[in-house]
Amino acid sequence: MSEPWPKDEFERRLRAKGTRYHIHHPYHQMMHNGECTREQIQGWVINRFYYQISIPIKDANLLANCPDPDVRREWVQRIIDHDGAPGEVGGIEAWLALGEAVGVSRDTLWSQEQVLPGVRFAVDAYVNFVRRVPWQEAACSSLTELFAPEIHKQRLTGWPDHYPWIDAEGLSYFRKRLSEARRDVEHGLDLTLAYFRTRADQERALDILQFKLDVLWTMLDAMTMAYVHHTPPYFNCDEAS
Ligand SMILES: O=C(O)c1cc(C(=O)O)c2c(n1)C(=O)C(=O)c1cc(C(=O)O)[nH]c1-2
C-alpha cells in the first residue's frame, strides 16, 4: 500500500483541484467577461438561490451527524451566516437583495418555479451526500470554498463595469462571503487534514472534493442549456415553443 502524503502535499493536491472550479465554466466566464444578457444573469441568480437556501439545510445535516460539541459550536456559525441573527442580515436576505438588484422579485425567488431540474438534482445530490456520510467527509465536501474568495472578488470588481444596470448595493452578498469563506475554509481544511490520514483516505478526500466541484459545474451546465442554447425543459418553454 502507498504511503500517505505528508500534510503539505495532501493540501497541495486539494488546492490543485482549483483547476476544475466553476470559475472556469464557460457560463461563469461569460458572466465575468460582461457577455451575459439580463436574462442570463437573472437565470443564474434564480437558480443559485436554490443553492443558497439548501446550504443551511446541508449544514444542519452535518451538525446532526456530528457528536463533537467543539466542532458543532464552530460549524453552527455557517447556518447563522445564511439565516441571519438579530441585527445581522444573513446571506439569504442578501441574496434576495441581489435578486431585486437584477430585477427578480423576492416572490419569484422563493417560489422556486424557475429552478431548472438539473440544478435541483445537483444541489439535492450535495445535501443528500452530506446527510448520509460521516460528518468529516461532509466537512471535506465544503472545501470548494478554498476557491470561492477569488470568484467573489471577480464579481465585485467586474460587475459594476460590465453590468451598470445592476444596483451595486445588490452585490453585498459577495462582499460578505469574502471573509466568511476564508474563515470557513480554514476550519474545514484543518478538519480534513487531521481526519484523512492514510493514502486511501486522502484519495477519498480528493474524490469528495471532485464530487462537489461536479455539483457546481453541473448547475452551470443546466443553466447553459436553458439560457444560452434555449433547450427545454426550462421555465416558460411551453409558451416559447
Ligand atoms: O458563488 C460561488 O461561486 C460560491 C461557491 C461556493 C462553493 O464553492 O461551494 C459557495 C458559495 N458561493 C457560497 O456563497 C456559500 O455560501 C457556500 C457554502 C458552501 C458549502 O459548500 O458549504 N459553498 C459555498
Side-chain angles (χ1 to χ4, degrees):
M1 234 175 59
S2 308
E3 287 292 306
W5 291 303
K7 270 192 184 172
D8 55 350
E9 173 61 12
F10 179 32
E11 180 174 342
R12 192 194 65 73
R13 285 173 186 262
L14 289 166
R15 289 185 185 276
K17 287 275 184 192
T19 55
R20 306 279 287 274
Y21 196 48
H22 63 174
I23 200 170
H24 303 295
H25 192 286
Y27 200 95
H28 230 292
Q29 288 181 331
M30 254 174 41
M31 207 153 48
H32 177 58
N33 294 334
E35 293 159 8
C36 274
T37 62
R38 186 182 289 251
E39 187 209 16
Q40 287 162 346
I41 297 277
Q42 289 179 340
W44 180 77
V45 169
I46 288 167
N47 280 276
R48 264 293 299 264
F49 187 64
Y50 188 61
Y51 188 70
Q52 302 309 130
I53 58 175
S54 299
I55 290 289
I57 294 169
K58 180 273 291 186
D59 286 321
N61 274 284
L62 182 148
L63 290 177
N65 289 331
C66 177
D68 183 332
D70 291 335
V71 174
R72 285 203 305 261
R73 197 177 311 112
E74 209 158 327
W75 204 274
V76 75
Q77 184 59 44
R78 298 180 187 228
I79 297 182
I80 296 166
D81 287 342
H82 286 276
D83 289 348
E88 240 175 80
V89 171
I92 292 176
E93 178 56 35
W95 200 274
L96 289 163
L98 173 65
E100 284 179 331
V102 304
V104 178
S105 73
R106 289 167 177 258
D107 285 351
T108 300
L109 288 179
W110 277 122
S111 77
Q112 298 178 27
E113 274 170 10
Q114 300 184 41
V115 177
L116 298 163
V119 168
R120 197 177 284 279
F121 296 151
V123 173
D124 290 352
Y126 183 31
V127 177
N128 286 327
F129 174 81
V130 167
R131 186 172 284 144
R132 69 178 172 74
V133 298
W135 66 266
Q136 296 93 337
E137 294 195 4
C140 173
S141 68
S142 73
L143 286 187
T144 45
E145 284 217 273
L146 277 169
F147 319 118
E150 186 55 35
I151 212 168
H152 294 312
K153 253 192 277 169
Q154 269 194 3
R155 295 171 189 140
L156 284 165
T157 54
W159 283 28
D161 283 343
H162 293 315
Y163 309 108
W165 54 274
I166 301 176
D167 181 355
E169 283 286 302
L171 306 184
S172 67
Y173 179 82
F174 306 130
R175 204 164 295 114
K176 181 172 152 55
R177 283 310 297 173
L178 271 181
S179 53
E180 291 172 356
R182 286 202 186 97
R183 179 209 57 208
D184 289 354
V185 92
E186 237 173 79
H187 187 218
L189 190 59
D190 285 350
L191 293 170
T192 299
L193 295 175
Y195 177 73
F196 296 87
R197 287 174 173 276
T198 68
R199 173 65 77 85
D201 290 344
Q202 292 170 332
E203 283 172 1
R204 165 92 182 134
L206 290 167
D207 287 347
I208 290 168
L209 184 52
Q210 185 59 55
F211 157 75
K212 171 66 177 309
L213 289 161
D214 292 344
V215 166
L216 295 171
W217 195 271
T218 302
M219 290 168 68
L220 291 175
D221 283 351
M223 291 183 227
T224 304
M225 292 296 279
Y227 308 121
V228 179
H229 302 307
H230 302 287
T231 309
Y234 61 92
F235 176 74
N236 249 350
C237 62
D238 291 341
E239 289 118 87
S241 62

